[in-house]
Amino acid sequence: MEKVAVNYEKMYYGFPVILVSFYDVNGLPNVTTISSSYTLKDMVVLGFSSKGYAISQIKEVRDFVINVPDRSMMDAISYCGTNTGYDLNKFDNVNLTHVKSQSVNAPMIQECPIAIECTLSDIIEREQFKGITNILAQIKGRFVAKEYLNDDGGLQSSEFDNVLYIGDGRQKGFRYMQ
């Protein structure tokens, strides 16, 4: 396979799109769309633009929920990713239902099949990567919709219809698991 050198600003090669929900410093629920994340055991790493409303609030309140949407939620995914919490409360403008989490002080999104409750443990900002804030968090709880589980409580991966983000800094695209 012949390869060609490219000079993209970014290279997203298929990251899951997630909705990160939180209560702001005034106790109001809000949500943002991100695609930079990974988990290992009880640790999660998320990447944010340093200027964003969500990261400014999460640094203060420390608790948040990673909600994994499915393809049916594309309108909400797009809206929450293109509008800022500095200007509005996104839950007021999308068909998403926030419900109280069990282990952290942050809202889950009822319509998402997966919710992962988290508490911030470390903030990583480096001069070398100006404009980017990475956070490490401890996973406090995991929840999966019953219809996504088999009789033994294991995940039925064939049931998931989550969204992947693919882009090169000039254009973005979404792919679906099914």
Side-chain angles (χ1 to χ4, degrees):
M1 180 179 300
E2 183 179 353
K3 294 181 180 51
V4 176
V6 295
N7 188 19
Y8 298 150
E9 174 191 3
K10 303 173 184 175
M11 183 75 182
Y12 291 97
Y13 46 87
F15 295 93
V17 173
I18 59 176
L19 296 171
V20 176
S21 55
F22 55 93
Y23 292 122
D24 68 15
V25 294
N26 298 313
L28 299 174
N30 219 315
V31 58
T32 194
T33 303
I34 69 170
S35 61
S36 298
S37 70
Y38 77 89
T39 65
L40 290 171
K41 294 195 175 193
D42 286 337
M43 178 198 73
V44 64
V45 179
L46 302 179
F48 292 86
S49 166
S50 298
K51 299 180 287 186
Y53 180 76
I55 190 60
S56 72
Q57 298 300 299
I58 290 170
K59 284 178 177 180
E60 296 292 323
V61 299
R62 307 193 65 81
D63 287 343
F64 60 92
V65 176
I66 295 170
N67 301 274
V68 181
D70 62 26
R71 182 196 322 215
S72 71
M73 300 173 69
M74 281 305 301
D75 288 342
I77 290 167
S78 181
Y79 184 87
C80 293
T82 56
N83 291 280
T84 176
Y86 285 119
D87 296 335
L88 51 87
N89 182 313
K90 297 175 200 176
F91 276 112
D92 292 342
N93 296 293
V94 293
N95 290 324
L96 297 176
T97 310
H98 56 89
V99 295
K100 186 168 175 32
S101 294
Q102 293 185 24
S103 303
V104 298
N105 186 29
M108 283 186 200
I109 298 174
Q110 185 172 320
E111 292 80 4
C112 291
I114 297 175
I116 303 170
E117 299 173 324
C118 304
T119 298
L120 178 66
S121 60
D122 200 6
I123 300 167
I124 304 161
E125 296 176 311
R126 302 284 187 268
E127 187 65 31
Q128 174 182 8
F129 302 109
K130 200 170 197 77
I132 298 170
T133 299
N134 288 294
I135 61 171
L136 273 74
Q138 184 175 12
I139 295 172
K140 299 290 189 166
R142 296 173 179 89
F143 299 87
V144 178
K146 288 180 185 179
E147 56 266 29
Y148 289 79
L149 301 174
N150 62 29
D151 292 338
D152 295 328
L155 290 175
Q156 293 189 107
S157 59
S158 62
E159 295 300 313
F160 286 89
D161 190 21
N162 53 325
V163 180
L164 300 179
Y165 179 73
I166 300 169
D168 62 9
R170 297 176 296 177
Q171 63 182 2
K172 63 181 176 182
F174 297 100
R175 302 260 319 176
Y176 309 104
M177 293 298 290
Q178 291 184 341

